[in-house]
Amino acid sequence: MTEDLLARIAAALERIAPPPAPHADPALHPAYVWRDGGLAAARDFRPLPIDLLTGIDAQKAIVLDNVRRHATGLGAHDALLWGARGTGKSALVKSAVGALQIEGLDVALIEIAAEKIETMPRLFDLIAGVERAFILFIDDLGFDEGASQGARLLRSMLEGGAEARPANARLYVTANRRHIVARDLKEQDSPINPRDVIDDKMALADRFGLSIGFHVVDQDHYVAMVGAYAAQYGLAFEPLDAISWATQRGGRSGRVAWQYVVELAGRQGKAI
């Protein structure tokens, strides 16, 4: 009687919590999302054409070259893209991967939420044996004061740890802070040597072979961004109207330029 009851409880639990869906084939799709311990194919990977990203030519050349080197089996770095919000950091990573896929190189993007860093060793096991290059993309990463465990885990993955990332993968991380981990003025009053505290917080950023800064754009560059997007989609625009749009939103950036172009498309009855 007891065994029968336990069997029915177990069956009910299985129905409530079915087994996880099988992983998407890591050799098949152009982009993936790592979530809930599973690898899912990205539903609609359509990065912006890399030529449309204006005002960041130096950053674009560095990222594109580094991804190309990785995709062709040459020495390549993990990369940290840091700086002002909306300046094209995440768009550039995706566009670089998309551009090289168009060239015929076998490289795929895997997007990983920052809170899933501790599950990445399972992802490493899944892709380590795949004959393909992967860009592991963590967007908008930042560790607050006291969140040292996650930072140390990522440091271990980048260099020297038992769970280091596999040779066919490189990490690309975007962050608003240059050193990712928050700094506190109270560090100067710490009984620990302040230099040691600061060095520990900078250690994560130091693990990236590339550290690429992105900065707020001036008005001319902002208008040029709008112009490039508008030309791509056949939209007419007035520079003064574009500037007014940015002023209402409190700043100029690639993101604001794109939002303005979406607004233009809506006004002019076009889909983009």
Side-chain angles (χ1 to χ4, degrees):
M1 181 71 174
T2 302
E3 291 181 0
D4 181 58
L5 178 60
L6 290 174
R8 288 188 306 184
I9 292 172
L13 290 173
E14 287 182 2
R15 290 193 296 271
I16 295 171
H23 295 297
D25 187 341
L28 184 61
H29 302 283
Y32 303 84
V33 178
W34 176 250
R35 60 187 173 208
D36 301 323
L39 188 65
R43 185 173 54 193
D44 188 17
F45 183 60
R46 290 191 298 167
L48 286 170
I50 199 163
D51 291 341
L52 283 184
L53 302 180
T54 60
I56 52 171
D57 290 345
Q59 297 93 326
K60 186 162 57 174
I62 293 169
V63 170
L64 194 58
D65 178 64
N66 194 58
V67 177
R68 180 180 284 109
R69 284 162 55 183
H70 178 50
T72 54
L74 303 178
H77 298 288
D78 300 292
L80 170 63
L81 288 68
W82 59 271
R85 295 178 293 108
T87 48
K89 301 183 295 294
S90 58
L92 176 54
V93 176
K94 296 173 185 177
S95 292
V97 172
L100 295 177
Q101 289 173 347
I102 291 172
E103 289 183 13
L105 296 180
D106 194 10
V107 57
L109 182 91
I110 301 178
E111 187 164 356
I112 303 161
E115 64 270 18
K116 300 298 183 182
I117 286 175
E118 71 278 3
T119 70
M120 285 172 60
R122 296 205 296 271
L123 173 61
F124 295 167
D125 290 340
L126 183 64
I127 66 175
V130 181
E131 293 186 4
R132 189 182 201 190
F134 293 95
I135 297 299
L136 309 183
F137 176 50
I138 305 174
D139 193 22
D140 198 20
L141 181 64
F143 294 106
D144 294 328
E145 189 72 21
S148 60
Q149 182 176 352
R152 287 195 172 95
L153 178 60
L154 187 56
R155 277 163 49 184
S156 177
M157 293 175 185
L158 283 164
E159 184 180 318
E163 298 287 1
R165 52 126 179 89
N168 64 339
R170 292 293 181 274
L171 268 70
Y172 277 66
V173 170
T174 71
N176 293 334
R177 306 182 186 116
R178 184 171 187 172
H179 299 298
I180 306 176
V181 181
R183 296 277 301 278
D184 192 329
L185 291 176
K186 290 185 293 186
E187 291 167 353
Q188 302 302 321
D189 300 325
S190 172
I192 305 172
N193 186 322
R195 181 72 256 172
D196 293 340
V197 175
I198 294 170
D199 285 348
D200 184 62
K201 291 192 172 184
M202 292 174 63
L204 174 56
D206 287 346
R207 292 296 195 277
F208 293 90
L210 290 178
S211 179
I212 308 167
F214 290 69
H215 308 286
V216 175
V217 298
D218 60 26
Q219 183 167 287
D220 289 342
H221 278 115
Y222 165 73
V223 173
M225 290 175 180
V226 173
Y229 289 142
Q232 173 73 13
Y233 297 104
L235 301 170
F237 84 102
E238 292 292 335
L240 289 178
D241 187 50
I243 293 167
S244 175
W245 175 272
T247 301
Q248 293 170 20
R249 277 145 190 80
R252 298 178 296 267
S253 69
R255 179 179 299 148
V256 171
W258 174 251
Q259 291 168 347
Y260 175 69
V261 168
V262 172
E263 172 67 14
L264 280 181
R267 293 178 191 172
Q268 298 176 28
K270 294 185 178 181
I272 57 174

